[in-house]
PDB file of all heavy atoms in Angstrom:
ATOM      1  N   VAL G   1      35.880  55.640  32.787  1.00  0.00           N
ATOM      2  CA  VAL G   1      37.082  54.680  32.673  1.00  0.00           C
ATOM      3  C   VAL G   1      36.891  53.462  33.459  1.00  0.00           C
ATOM      4  O   VAL G   1      37.453  52.388  33.070  1.00  0.00           O
ATOM      5  CB  VAL G   1      38.370  55.403  33.098  1.00  0.00           C
ATOM      6  CG1 VAL G   1      38.538  56.575  32.221  1.00  0.00           C
ATOM      7  CG2 VAL G   1      38.370  55.910  34.546  1.00  0.00           C
ATOM      8  N   ALA G   2      36.043  53.448  34.568  1.00  0.00           N
ATOM      9  CA  ALA G   2      35.806  52.337  35.267  1.00  0.00           C
ATOM     10  C   ALA G   2      34.615  52.587  36.192  1.00  0.00           C
ATOM     11  O   ALA G   2      34.375  53.675  36.584  1.00  0.00           O
ATOM     12  CB  ALA G   2      37.104  52.041  36.279  1.00  0.00           C
ATOM     13  N   HIS G   3      33.917  51.465  36.609  1.00  0.00           N
ATOM     14  CA  HIS G   3      32.834  51.619  37.497  1.00  0.00           C
ATOM     15  C   HIS G   3      32.642  50.314  38.419  1.00  0.00           C
ATOM     16  O   HIS G   3      33.112  49.298  37.885  1.00  0.00           O
ATOM     17  CB  HIS G   3      31.534  51.996  36.885  1.00  0.00           C
ATOM     18  CG  HIS G   3      30.769  50.955  36.141  1.00  0.00           C
ATOM     19  ND1 HIS G   3      30.831  50.624  34.827  1.00  0.00           N
ATOM     20  CD2 HIS G   3      29.741  50.041  36.620  1.00  0.00           C
ATOM     21  CE1 HIS G   3      30.042  49.792  34.498  1.00  0.00           C
ATOM     22  NE2 HIS G   3      29.441  49.334  35.580  1.00  0.00           N
ATOM     23  N   ILE G   4      32.094  50.511  39.592  1.00  0.00           N
ATOM     24  CA  ILE G   4      31.840  49.404  40.385  1.00  0.00           C
ATOM     25  C   ILE G   4      30.452  49.476  40.869  1.00  0.00           C
ATOM     26  O   ILE G   4      30.022  50.559  41.399  1.00  0.00           O
ATOM     27  CB  ILE G   4      32.873  49.327  41.586  1.00  0.00           C
ATOM     28  CG1 ILE G   4      32.667  48.172  42.425  1.00  0.00           C
ATOM     29  CG2 ILE G   4      32.842  50.596  42.387  1.00  0.00           C
ATOM     30  CD1 ILE G   4      33.912  47.792  43.250  1.00  0.00           C
ATOM     31  N   THR G   5      29.709  48.423  40.889  1.00  0.00           N
ATOM     32  CA  THR G   5      28.242  48.341  41.316  1.00  0.00           C
ATOM     33  C   THR G   5      28.260  48.167  42.837  1.00  0.00           C
ATOM     34  O   THR G   5      29.165  47.859  43.471  1.00  0.00           O
ATOM     35  CB  THR G   5      27.621  47.279  40.595  1.00  0.00           C
ATOM     36  OG1 THR G   5      28.029  45.944  41.126  1.00  0.00           O
ATOM     37  CG2 THR G   5      27.779  47.324  39.059  1.00  0.00           C
ATOM     38  N   SER G   6      26.999  48.337  43.313  1.00  0.00           N
ATOM     39  CA  SER G   6      26.718  48.083  44.746  1.00  0.00           C
ATOM     40  C   SER G   6      27.016  46.745  45.123  1.00  0.00           C
ATOM     41  O   SER G   6      27.310  46.481  46.280  1.00  0.00           O
ATOM     42  CB  SER G   6      25.272  48.488  45.105  1.00  0.00           C
ATOM     43  OG  SER G   6      24.405  47.669  44.302  1.00  0.00           O
ATOM     44  N   SER G   7      27.000  45.662  44.184  1.00  0.00           N
ATOM     45  CA  SER G   7      27.296  44.328  44.476  1.00  0.00           C
ATOM     46  C   SER G   7      28.806  44.014  44.320  1.00  0.00           C
ATOM     47  O   SER G   7      29.188  42.858  44.516  1.00  0.00           O
ATOM     48  CB  SER G   7      26.498  43.402  43.721  1.00  0.00           C
ATOM     49  OG  SER G   7      26.704  43.591  42.363  1.00  0.00           O
ATOM     50  N   GLY G   8      29.585  44.998  43.882  1.00  0.00           N
ATOM     51  CA  GLY G   8      30.964  44.764  43.590  1.00  0.00           C
ATOM     52  C   GLY G   8      31.464  44.410  42.282  1.00  0.00           C
ATOM     53  O   GLY G   8      32.635  44.131  42.097  1.00  0.00           O
ATOM     54  N   SER G   9      30.614  44.326  41.333  1.00  0.00           N
ATOM     55  CA  SER G   9      30.900  44.037  39.963  1.00  0.00           C
ATOM     56  C   SER G   9      31.636  45.205  39.303  1.00  0.00           C
ATOM     57  O   SER G   9      31.316  46.360  39.623  1.00  0.00           O
ATOM     58  CB  SER G   9      29.677  43.642  39.094  1.00  0.00           C
ATOM     59  OG  SER G   9      30.006  43.391  37.784  1.00  0.00           O
ATOM     60  N   THR G  10      32.666  44.912  38.673  1.00  0.00           N
ATOM     61  CA  THR G  10      33.548  46.025  37.924  1.00  0.00           C
ATOM     62  C   THR G  10      33.599  45.987  36.494  1.00  0.00           C
ATOM     63  O   THR G  10      33.331  44.882  35.870  1.00  0.00           O
ATOM     64  CB  THR G  10      35.011  45.979  38.488  1.00  0.00           C
ATOM     65  OG1 THR G  10      35.530  44.711  38.105  1.00  0.00           O
ATOM     66  CG2 THR G  10      34.936  46.156  40.013  1.00  0.00           C
ATOM     67  N   ASN G  11      33.661  47.061  35.847  1.00  0.00           N
ATOM     68  CA  ASN G  11      33.873  47.148  34.415  1.00  0.00           C
ATOM     69  C   ASN G  11      34.951  48.292  34.118  1.00  0.00           C
ATOM     70  O   ASN G  11      35.033  49.329  34.840  1.00  0.00           O
ATOM     71  CB  ASN G  11      32.551  47.514  33.703  1.00  0.00           C
ATOM     72  CG  ASN G  11      31.708  46.301  33.637  1.00  0.00           C
ATOM     73  OD1 ASN G  11      31.796  45.450  32.756  1.00  0.00           O
ATOM     74  ND2 ASN G  11      30.617  46.220  34.519  1.00  0.00           N
ATOM     75  N   TYR G  12      35.575  48.190  32.989  1.00  0.00           N
ATOM     76  CA  TYR G  12      36.625  49.039  32.601  1.00  0.00           C
ATOM     77  C   TYR G  12      36.492  49.412  31.122  1.00  0.00           C
ATOM     78  O   TYR G  12      36.172  48.669  30.328  1.00  0.00           O
ATOM     79  CB  TYR G  12      38.005  48.497  32.879  1.00  0.00           C
ATOM     80  CG  TYR G  12      38.168  48.091  34.282  1.00  0.00           C
ATOM     81  CD1 TYR G  12      37.935  46.723  34.774  1.00  0.00           C
ATOM     82  CD2 TYR G  12      38.827  48.993  35.217  1.00  0.00           C
ATOM     83  CE1 TYR G  12      38.077  46.455  36.083  1.00  0.00           C
ATOM     84  CE2 TYR G  12      38.941  48.649  36.533  1.00  0.00           C
ATOM     85  CZ  TYR G  12      38.592  47.376  36.921  1.00  0.00           C
ATOM     86  OH  TYR G  12      38.773  47.003  38.252  1.00  0.00           O
ATOM     87  N   ALA G  13      36.985  50.671  30.863  1.00  0.00           N
ATOM     88  CA  ALA G  13      37.150  51.012  29.395  1.00  0.00           C
ATOM     89  C   ALA G  13      38.256  50.284  28.893  1.00  0.00           C
ATOM     90  O   ALA G  13      39.270  49.894  29.567  1.00  0.00           O
ATOM     91  CB  ALA G  13      37.392  52.568  29.340  1.00  0.00           C
ATOM     92  N   ASP G  14      38.251  49.965  27.570  1.00  0.00           N
ATOM     93  CA  ASP G  14      39.334  49.243  26.973  1.00  0.00           C
ATOM     94  C   ASP G  14      40.579  49.867  27.121  1.00  0.00           C
ATOM     95  O   ASP G  14      41.688  49.125  27.210  1.00  0.00           O
ATOM     96  CB  ASP G  14      38.973  48.942  25.386  1.00  0.00           C
ATOM     97  CG  ASP G  14      37.818  48.025  25.131  1.00  0.00           C
ATOM     98  OD1 ASP G  14      37.511  47.274  26.127  1.00  0.00           O
ATOM     99  OD2 ASP G  14      37.253  48.036  24.002  1.00  0.00           O
ATOM    100  N   SER G  15      40.589  51.157  27.161  1.00  0.00           N
ATOM    101  CA  SER G  15      42.009  51.829  27.145  1.00  0.00           C
ATOM    102  C   SER G  15      42.629  51.634  28.533  1.00  0.00           C
ATOM    103  O   SER G  15      43.965  51.929  28.536  1.00  0.00           O
ATOM    104  CB  SER G  15      41.692  53.376  26.935  1.00  0.00           C
ATOM    105  OG  SER G  15      40.862  53.876  27.967  1.00  0.00           O
ATOM    106  N   VAL G  16      42.020  51.131  29.573  1.00  0.00           N
ATOM    107  CA  VAL G  16      42.682  50.985  30.845  1.00  0.00           C
ATOM    108  C   VAL G  16      42.591  49.545  31.339  1.00  0.00           C
ATOM    109  O   VAL G  16      43.217  49.298  32.479  1.00  0.00           O
ATOM    110  CB  VAL G  16      42.003  51.916  31.892  1.00  0.00           C
ATOM    111  CG1 VAL G  16      42.066  53.437  31.441  1.00  0.00           C
ATOM    112  CG2 VAL G  16      40.603  51.531  32.223  1.00  0.00           C
ATOM    113  N   LYS G  17      42.016  48.674  30.627  1.00  0.00           N
ATOM    114  CA  LYS G  17      42.006  47.316  31.074  1.00  0.00           C
ATOM    115  C   LYS G  17      43.351  46.731  31.221  1.00  0.00           C
ATOM    116  O   LYS G  17      44.242  46.900  30.473  1.00  0.00           O
ATOM    117  CB  LYS G  17      41.170  46.405  30.018  1.00  0.00           C
ATOM    118  CG  LYS G  17      39.668  46.585  30.186  1.00  0.00           C
ATOM    119  CD  LYS G  17      39.020  45.680  29.078  1.00  0.00           C
ATOM    120  CE  LYS G  17      37.493  45.803  29.293  1.00  0.00           C
ATOM    121  NZ  LYS G  17      36.743  44.974  28.270  1.00  0.00           N
ATOM    122  N   GLY G  18      43.563  46.077  32.444  1.00  0.00           N
ATOM    123  CA  GLY G  18      44.881  45.441  32.681  1.00  0.00           C
ATOM    124  C   GLY G  18      45.809  46.368  33.460  1.00  0.00           C
ATOM    125  O   GLY G  18      46.758  45.940  33.866  1.00  0.00           O
ATOM    126  N   ARG G  19      45.464  47.626  33.503  1.00  0.00           N
ATOM    127  CA  ARG G  19      46.300  48.624  34.147  1.00  0.00           C
ATOM    128  C   ARG G  19      45.609  49.292  35.383  1.00  0.00           C
ATOM    129  O   ARG G  19      46.272  49.611  36.295  1.00  0.00           O
ATOM    130  CB  ARG G  19      46.701  49.730  33.153  1.00  0.00           C
ATOM    131  CG  ARG G  19      47.451  49.227  31.939  1.00  0.00           C
ATOM    132  CD  ARG G  19      47.994  50.356  31.106  1.00  0.00           C
ATOM    133  NE  ARG G  19      46.967  51.219  30.519  1.00  0.00           N
ATOM    134  CZ  ARG G  19      46.807  52.532  30.797  1.00  0.00           C
ATOM    135  NH1 ARG G  19      47.669  53.109  31.610  1.00  0.00           N
ATOM    136  NH2 ARG G  19      45.845  53.236  30.240  1.00  0.00           N
ATOM    137  N   PHE G  20      44.330  49.544  35.290  1.00  0.00           N
ATOM    138  CA  PHE G  20      43.610  50.162  36.397  1.00  0.00           C
ATOM    139  C   PHE G  20      42.688  49.169  37.102  1.00  0.00           C
ATOM    140  O   PHE G  20      42.172  48.179  36.579  1.00  0.00           O
ATOM    141  CB  PHE G  20      42.604  51.294  35.834  1.00  0.00           C
ATOM    142  CG  PHE G  20      43.367  52.390  35.247  1.00  0.00           C
ATOM    143  CD1 PHE G  20      44.710  52.463  35.064  1.00  0.00           C
ATOM    144  CD2 PHE G  20      42.613  53.597  34.942  1.00  0.00           C
ATOM    145  CE1 PHE G  20      45.327  53.713  34.480  1.00  0.00           C
ATOM    146  CE2 PHE G  20      43.203  54.709  34.425  1.00  0.00           C
ATOM    147  CZ  PHE G  20      44.497  54.767  34.192  1.00  0.00           C
ATOM    148  N   THR G  21      42.597  49.379  38.429  1.00  0.00           N
ATOM    149  CA  THR G  21      41.709  48.533  39.182  1.00  0.00           C
ATOM    150  C   THR G  21      40.819  49.524  40.081  1.00  0.00           C
ATOM    151  O   THR G  21      41.303  50.313  40.793  1.00  0.00           O
ATOM    152  CB  THR G  21      42.471  47.610  40.061  1.00  0.00           C
ATOM    153  OG1 THR G  21      43.328  46.715  39.278  1.00  0.00           O
ATOM    154  CG2 THR G  21      41.586  46.688  40.870  1.00  0.00           C
ATOM    155  N   ILE G  22      39.513  49.214  40.014  1.00  0.00           N
ATOM    156  CA  ILE G  22      38.565  49.976  40.825  1.00  0.00           C
ATOM    157  C   ILE G  22      38.180  49.080  42.086  1.00  0.00           C
ATOM    158  O   ILE G  22      37.947  47.852  41.840  1.00  0.00           O
ATOM    159  CB  ILE G  22      37.368  50.509  40.146  1.00  0.00           C
ATOM    160  CG1 ILE G  22      36.478  51.416  40.942  1.00  0.00           C
ATOM    161  CG2 ILE G  22      36.584  49.350  39.510  1.00  0.00           C
ATOM    162  CD1 ILE G  22      35.487  52.170  40.142  1.00  0.00           C
ATOM    163  N   SER G  23      38.038  49.650  43.185  1.00  0.00           N
ATOM    164  CA  SER G  23      37.659  48.904  44.385  1.00  0.00           C
ATOM    165  C   SER G  23      36.833  49.772  45.274  1.00  0.00           C
ATOM    166  O   SER G  23      36.823  51.075  45.156  1.00  0.00           O
ATOM    167  CB  SER G  23      38.827  48.277  45.095  1.00  0.00           C
ATOM    168  OG  SER G  23      39.674  49.271  45.615  1.00  0.00           O
ATOM    169  N   ARG G  24      36.092  49.207  46.291  1.00  0.00           N
ATOM    170  CA  ARG G  24      35.410  49.941  47.174  1.00  0.00           C
ATOM    171  C   ARG G  24      35.422  49.489  48.579  1.00  0.00           C
ATOM    172  O   ARG G  24      35.619  48.231  48.857  1.00  0.00           O
ATOM    173  CB  ARG G  24      33.945  50.115  46.738  1.00  0.00           C
ATOM    174  CG  ARG G  24      33.129  48.900  46.807  1.00  0.00           C
ATOM    175  CD  ARG G  24      31.870  48.984  46.148  1.00  0.00           C
ATOM    176  NE  ARG G  24      30.944  49.980  46.758  1.00  0.00           N
ATOM    177  CZ  ARG G  24      29.881  50.649  46.144  1.00  0.00           C
ATOM    178  NH1 ARG G  24      29.475  50.269  44.933  1.00  0.00           N
ATOM    179  NH2 ARG G  24      29.122  51.527  46.902  1.00  0.00           N
ATOM    180  N   ASP G  25      35.419  50.393  49.578  1.00  0.00           N
ATOM    181  CA  ASP G  25      35.359  49.923  50.965  1.00  0.00           C
ATOM    182  C   ASP G  25      34.271  50.751  51.527  1.00  0.00           C
ATOM    183  O   ASP G  25      34.304  51.855  51.870  1.00  0.00           O
ATOM    184  CB  ASP G  25      36.740  50.392  51.598  1.00  0.00           C
ATOM    185  CG  ASP G  25      36.833  49.974  53.111  1.00  0.00           C
ATOM    186  OD1 ASP G  25      35.745  49.646  53.695  1.00  0.00           O
ATOM    187  OD2 ASP G  25      37.910  49.908  53.608  1.00  0.00           O
ATOM    188  N   ASP G  26      33.154  50.003  51.635  1.00  0.00           N
ATOM    189  CA  ASP G  26      31.917  50.662  52.146  1.00  0.00           C
ATOM    190  C   ASP G  26      31.954  51.139  53.538  1.00  0.00           C
ATOM    191  O   ASP G  26      31.337  52.058  53.896  1.00  0.00           O
ATOM    192  CB  ASP G  26      30.716  49.653  51.915  1.00  0.00           C
ATOM    193  CG  ASP G  26      30.374  49.391  50.443  1.00  0.00           C
ATOM    194  OD1 ASP G  26      30.795  50.233  49.714  1.00  0.00           O
ATOM    195  OD2 ASP G  26      29.713  48.364  50.210  1.00  0.00           O
ATOM    196  N   ALA G  27      32.756  50.410  54.460  1.00  0.00           N
ATOM    197  CA  ALA G  27      32.935  50.794  55.840  1.00  0.00           C
ATOM    198  C   ALA G  27      33.603  52.144  55.850  1.00  0.00           C
ATOM    199  O   ALA G  27      33.323  52.916  56.836  1.00  0.00           O
ATOM    200  CB  ALA G  27      33.698  49.789  56.491  1.00  0.00           C
ATOM    201  N   LYS G  28      34.380  52.520  54.907  1.00  0.00           N
ATOM    202  CA  LYS G  28      35.124  53.871  54.861  1.00  0.00           C
ATOM    203  C   LYS G  28      34.354  54.879  53.899  1.00  0.00           C
ATOM    204  O   LYS G  28      34.881  55.929  53.805  1.00  0.00           O
ATOM    205  CB  LYS G  28      36.479  53.669  54.540  1.00  0.00           C
ATOM    206  CG  LYS G  28      37.340  52.824  55.513  1.00  0.00           C
ATOM    207  CD  LYS G  28      38.758  52.760  55.031  1.00  0.00           C
ATOM    208  CE  LYS G  28      39.602  51.997  56.077  1.00  0.00           C
ATOM    209  NZ  LYS G  28      40.972  51.804  55.563  1.00  0.00           N
ATOM    210  N   ASN G  29      33.245  54.409  53.290  1.00  0.00           N
ATOM    211  CA  ASN G  29      32.639  55.297  52.297  1.00  0.00           C
ATOM    212  C   ASN G  29      33.594  55.850  51.253  1.00  0.00           C
ATOM    213  O   ASN G  29      33.575  56.971  50.910  1.00  0.00           O
ATOM    214  CB  ASN G  29      31.952  56.476  53.043  1.00  0.00           C
ATOM    215  CG  ASN G  29      30.603  56.148  53.552  1.00  0.00           C
ATOM    216  OD1 ASN G  29      30.086  54.885  53.572  1.00  0.00           O
ATOM    217  ND2 ASN G  29      29.805  57.082  53.953  1.00  0.00           N
ATOM    218  N   THR G  30      34.403  54.836  50.778  1.00  0.00           N
ATOM    219  CA  THR G  30      35.538  55.246  49.819  1.00  0.00           C
ATOM    220  C   THR G  30      35.619  54.232  48.708  1.00  0.00           C
ATOM    221  O   THR G  30      35.503  53.094  48.850  1.00  0.00           O
ATOM    222  CB  THR G  30      36.853  55.365  50.579  1.00  0.00           C
ATOM    223  OG1 THR G  30      36.713  56.285  51.629  1.00  0.00           O
ATOM    224  CG2 THR G  30      37.958  55.800  49.595  1.00  0.00           C
ATOM    225  N   VAL G  31      35.715  54.913  47.499  1.00  0.00           N
ATOM    226  CA  VAL G  31      36.091  54.083  46.284  1.00  0.00           C
ATOM    227  C   VAL G  31      37.473  54.510  45.814  1.00  0.00           C
ATOM    228  O   VAL G  31      37.903  55.658  45.849  1.00  0.00           O
ATOM    229  CB  VAL G  31      35.063  54.319  45.169  1.00  0.00           C
ATOM    230  CG1 VAL G  31      35.525  53.815  43.839  1.00  0.00           C
ATOM    231  CG2 VAL G  31      33.651  53.638  45.568  1.00  0.00           C
ATOM    232  N   TYR G  32      38.254  53.500  45.409  1.00  0.00           N
ATOM    233  CA  TYR G  32      39.633  53.737  44.900  1.00  0.00           C
ATOM    234  C   TYR G  32      39.784  53.404  43.470  1.00  0.00           C
ATOM    235  O   TYR G  32      39.036  52.524  42.949  1.00  0.00           O
ATOM    236  CB  TYR G  32      40.508  52.820  45.720  1.00  0.00           C
ATOM    237  CG  TYR G  32      40.500  52.984  47.189  1.00  0.00           C
ATOM    238  CD1 TYR G  32      39.717  52.216  48.010  1.00  0.00           C
ATOM    239  CD2 TYR G  32      41.270  54.002  47.788  1.00  0.00           C
ATOM    240  CE1 TYR G  32      39.636  52.245  49.362  1.00  0.00           C
ATOM    241  CE2 TYR G  32      41.121  54.153  49.201  1.00  0.00           C
ATOM    242  CZ  TYR G  32      40.321  53.346  49.927  1.00  0.00           C
ATOM    243  OH  TYR G  32      40.214  53.492  51.261  1.00  0.00           O
ATOM    244  N   LEU G  33      40.833  54.036  42.914  1.00  0.00           N
ATOM    245  CA  LEU G  33      41.243  53.726  41.502  1.00  0.00           C
ATOM    246  C   LEU G  33      42.735  53.495  41.543  1.00  0.00           C
ATOM    247  O   LEU G  33      43.493  54.603  41.571  1.00  0.00           O
ATOM    248  CB  LEU G  33      40.785  54.790  40.435  1.00  0.00           C
ATOM    249  CG  LEU G  33      41.075  54.424  39.023  1.00  0.00           C
ATOM    250  CD1 LEU G  33      40.206  53.182  38.635  1.00  0.00           C
ATOM    251  CD2 LEU G  33      40.802  55.545  38.069  1.00  0.00           C
ATOM    252  N   GLN G  34      43.114  52.293  41.501  1.00  0.00           N
ATOM    253  CA  GLN G  34      44.594  52.029  41.408  1.00  0.00           C
ATOM    254  C   GLN G  34      45.048  52.203  39.860  1.00  0.00           C
ATOM    255  O   GLN G  34      44.549  51.348  39.140  1.00  0.00           O
ATOM    256  CB  GLN G  34      44.872  50.726  42.039  1.00  0.00           C
ATOM    257  CG  GLN G  34      46.439  50.302  41.866  1.00  0.00           C
ATOM    258  CD  GLN G  34      47.260  51.218  42.796  1.00  0.00           C
ATOM    259  OE1 GLN G  34      46.997  51.440  43.917  1.00  0.00           O
ATOM    260  NE2 GLN G  34      48.339  51.634  42.211  1.00  0.00           N
TER     261      GLN G  34
END
């Protein structure tokens, strides 16, 4: 449904575009899906 690269680039499935947001916090070793 979504992915984020090591450089911060993001991509989304068409079904969730505009509704979901993926992000990462490398200092916390955590990826989020809003």
Side-chain angles (χ1 to χ4, degrees):
V1 300
H3 77 266
I4 185 165
T5 71
S6 59
S7 62
S9 180
T10 60
N11 284 281
Y12 301 91
D14 288 343
S15 59
V16 306
K17 282 182 178 178
R19 300 188 298 118
F20 290 11
T21 302
I22 188 170
S23 61
R24 66 191 298 162
D25 185 341
D26 291 339
K28 297 180 179 178
N29 277 8
T30 302
V31 170
Y32 303 96
L33 186 67
Q34 178 67 47

